Amino acid sequence: MEQKEMMQQIDKVVAKLTLEEKIKMIHGAGLFQTGSVERLNIPPLKMSDGPMGVRSEFMPDTWLPAGHGDDIVSYLPSNSAIAATWNTKLAYTAGQVLGEEARGRGKDVILAPGINVKRLPNNGRNFEYLSEDPYLIEQMAVRLVQGIQTADVAACVKHFALNSQETERLWVNVEIDERAFRDLRRW
């Protein structure tokens, strides 16, 4: 199907959706999934967190592990370990593994990679981030995403900026002067 035809098909489906159905498709309908629209055969979008590997399955609407005996995937090196190699081919390969295992588990999106610039050494999530160097982050993140996408899985790049502490991270008021912020985001 050509792109023009595909866009026409998409427009037809979107025109059939009610406002409530559109909202359902972009809103969480349980842990790591959106709502579906059964009448149009639109399945939920299923996601997995875990930049170092596809996360195990949870019981519906709880953070309790489902306990499947075959719920096993590869445990990949952390993003900071991958970035420390400066090896973009390795980043691509790690992305491929992440994408293939996500697709194998029925996931459409992997919530990775984390690209926050490391600013504080005591940030509890630094292992998820690639580096303190914006250029290296760019080089490695692009290849990770390209690798993930080879398995027809979307990458959700996350934690863009200033996620530098775990304590009160959902409501902390991060204050940074304009120049420092722009220097971090030059890439």
Side-chain angles (χ1 to χ4, degrees), residues 6 35 41 49 61 63 71-72 87 109 120 144 160 162 173:
M6 188 177 359
N41 296 317
D49 199 11
D61 299 321
W63 286 99
D71 200 5
I72 300 168
N87 184 335
V109 180
L120 300 173
L144 272 162
F160 286 91
L162 308 178
N173 180 19

Side-chain angles (χ1 to χ4, degrees), residues 80 83 86 116-120 126 129-137 183-184 187:
S80 58
W86 290 71
N116 187 48
V117 176
K118 295 179 184 184
R119 295 176 56 232
L120 300 173
N126 275 345
Y129 306 137
L130 291 158
S131 176
E132 66 282 352
D133 180 75
Y135 178 78
L136 179 58
I137 293 169
D183 284 348
L184 286 173
W187 51 291

Side-chain angles (χ1 to χ4, degrees), residues 55-179:
R55 211 176 222 185
S56 60
E57 297 297 325
F58 293 103
M59 299 294 284
D61 299 321
T62 73
W63 286 99
L64 299 173
H68 302 306
D70 61 350
D71 200 5
I72 300 168
V73 295
S74 299
Y75 190 60
L76 300 170
S78 68
N79 283 339
S80 58
I82 293 170
T85 69
W86 290 71
N87 184 335
T88 57
K89 288 181 184 177
L90 181 65
Y92 182 83
T93 301
Q96 284 181 305
V97 170
L98 197 52
E100 288 171 13
E101 292 191 357
R103 179 51 61 211
R105 299 272 299 279
K107 307 302 180 188
D108 304 297
V109 180
I110 189 78
L111 305 177
I115 63 163
N116 187 48
V117 176
K118 295 179 184 184
R119 295 176 56 232
L120 300 173
N122 61 346
N123 180 4
R125 296 184 87 166
N126 275 345
F127 72 94
E128 286 189 50
Y129 306 137
L130 291 158
S131 176
E132 66 282 352
D133 180 75
Y135 178 78
L136 179 58
I137 293 169
E138 176 187 10
Q139 297 304 304
M140 301 303 274
V142 166
R143 297 301 284 156
L144 272 162
V145 168
Q146 289 171 337
I148 291 166
Q149 291 175 337
T150 62
D152 194 31
V153 172
C156 179
V157 179
K158 60 183 187 175
H159 304 179
F160 286 91
L162 308 178
N163 189 36
S164 296
Q165 70 181 54
E166 282 300 287
T167 306
E168 300 181 3
R169 76 181 173 100
L170 297 179
W171 54 82
V172 66
N173 180 19
V174 177
E175 294 182 22
I176 185 171
D177 69 47
E178 185 76 17
R179 177 163 182 188

